[in-house]
Amino acid sequence: MQVAKIGIVGAGQMGNGIAHVCSLAGYDVVMSDISEDALAKAMSLIDKNMSRQVSRGKISDAEKDGALGRITTTTDLAQVGPSDLIIEAATERETVKQAIFEDLGPHLLPHTILTSNTSSISITRLASRTDRPEKFMGFHFMNPVPVMQLVELIRGIATDEETFRACKEVVDRLGKTSATAEDFPAFIVNRILMPMINEAVYTLYEGVGSVRSIDESMKLGANHPMGPLELADFIGLDTCLAIMNVLHDGLADTKYRPCPLLTKYVEAGWLGRKTQRGFYDYRGDEPVPTR
């Protein structure tokens, strides 16, 4: 099956990045969100990020203009339905994702492939709530989407080979690399990354090191480009906690127990960069550790 039109549900951090790379690859994109304001912000950010690519010689002005012209936005989910491939990129809550797929159902074409950008939720379970579990996959981009090269492709138990091949061809056309993951909690990247972040929070919680010393140690001692607590703030502490809960619940192993300090930060609404406070306070000129 040839994919020509891609629908994207959600215009947040992940959704606008996916729209960015898909439109640059020549796909017609329809991006939806419940908020007109969110859509306007997403288009402004895509324009800004593409302009940065132009200034660095990555793309031409003509390529930028062509890509922006291929993106349409809507608050009407029904307009996303008649796409060849739909990528759901809403918040990491299973009930929200299930409701989106249910609302899309009556508007889909017979051949439409449904995918979710979930970073941890069962693809098999999401697929089972649709009318096409054989045409359903996990399509997990890394953040920030225009920069990161990996896409995890996750088959549910019912996913057929044609669906997998069509999704892999899209990843190839985007100029990215696909990694095939089995449908177990958090797949590959977050199965490894989130326990590391959680352990860094435990290291802070137990007083082994300060925020700054933990991050500096991993940057300089393990050659990580970003410290684990800085990275947690970038991802969103609520997202980190949600994934740790999926791991803990899904694998029933105490090694995945979320650190109480991570839970406390989320309860306080200190979710990282998006709320200006997390393990660092971002309200000044320079980020300052909050512990």
Side-chain angles (χ1 to χ4, degrees), residues 54-202:
V54 170
S55 69
R56 293 176 179 173
K58 302 283 188 183
I59 62 173
S60 67
D61 282 311
E63 286 171 321
K64 174 195 167 185
D65 293 342
L68 289 174
R70 283 188 287 272
I71 303 173
T72 58
T73 62
T74 180
T75 55
D76 181 7
L77 200 59
Q79 292 186 31
V80 180
S83 302
D84 301 314
L85 168 68
I86 295 175
I87 303 170
E88 170 274 314
T91 186
E92 191 70 355
R93 285 169 50 198
E94 189 165 348
T95 52
V96 172
K97 295 179 186 297
Q98 287 174 345
I100 287 167
F101 289 123
E102 188 174 319
D103 290 345
L104 279 169
H107 310 291
L108 303 176
L109 300 171
H111 68 267
T112 300
I113 293 172
L114 293 175
T115 69
S116 176
N117 184 57
T118 179
S119 55
S120 61
I121 297 169
S122 168
I123 298 304
T124 298
R125 196 163 61 238
L126 287 173
S128 72
R129 302 290 293 269
T130 74
D131 67 345
R132 58 194 68 206
E134 73 287 350
K135 292 186 179 300
F136 195 107
M137 277 198 70
F139 209 126
H140 181 216
F141 288 85
M142 305 297 127
N143 184 35
V145 179
V147 175
M148 301 297 279
Q149 287 301 302
L150 185 73
V151 178
E152 285 183 314
L153 292 179
I154 307 101
R155 301 184 202 226
I157 198 169
T159 306
D160 64 26
E161 185 62 25
E162 182 186 19
T163 298
F164 173 78
R165 284 200 308 269
C167 289
K168 187 177 186 310
E169 285 173 11
V170 171
V171 176
D172 292 343
R173 184 165 156 184
L174 295 179
K176 297 188 181 294
T177 301
S178 59
T180 305
E182 293 300 315
D183 186 22
F184 290 102
F187 319 130
I188 295 172
V189 173
N190 283 320
R191 172 75 176 263
I192 297 167
L193 175 64
M194 286 302 159
M196 184 196 77
I197 287 175
N198 194 52
E199 194 61 29
V201 183
Y202 266 114

Side-chain angles (χ1 to χ4, degrees), residues 11-68:
Q13 192 173 39
M14 297 304 293
N16 73 65
I18 297 168
H20 176 140
V21 298
C22 289
S23 64
L24 268 180
Y27 292 107
D28 291 323
V29 174
V30 54
M31 178 171 58
S32 74
D33 199 281
I34 56 174
S35 162
E36 287 279 10
D37 186 48
L39 289 167
K41 286 180 180 176
M43 289 305 298
S44 175
L45 187 58
I46 292 170
D47 191 326
K48 177 183 172 184
N49 288 339
M50 285 187 184
S51 293
R52 187 181 295 118
Q53 288 179 299
V54 170
S55 69
R56 293 176 179 173
K58 302 283 188 183
I59 62 173
S60 67
D61 282 311
E63 286 171 321
K64 174 195 167 185
D65 293 342
L68 289 174

Side-chain angles (χ1 to χ4, degrees), residues 195-240:
M196 184 196 77
I197 287 175
N198 194 52
E199 194 61 29
V201 183
Y202 266 114
T203 306
L204 177 65
Y205 176 63
E206 294 169 2
V208 179
S210 66
V211 169
R212 202 175 292 284
S213 65
I214 291 166
D215 278 350
E216 287 299 312
S217 293
M218 293 306 293
K219 284 193 283 189
L220 301 179
N223 205 28
H224 289 192
M226 192 181 291
L229 301 176
E230 184 185 3
L231 179 58
D233 277 356
F234 180 74
I235 293 167
L237 303 193
D238 53 339
T239 300
C240 294

Side-chain angles (χ1 to χ4, degrees), residues 198 201-202 205 237-238 240-242 244-245 248 256-271 279:
N198 194 52
V201 183
Y202 266 114
Y205 176 63
L237 303 193
D238 53 339
C240 294
L241 179 60
M244 286 308 302
N245 280 324
H248 191 229
Y256 299 115
R257 182 170 63 96
C259 179
L261 184 60
L262 177 61
T263 302
K264 191 65 65 182
Y265 268 78
V266 173
E267 287 174 345
W270 291 18
L271 308 181
F279 292 113

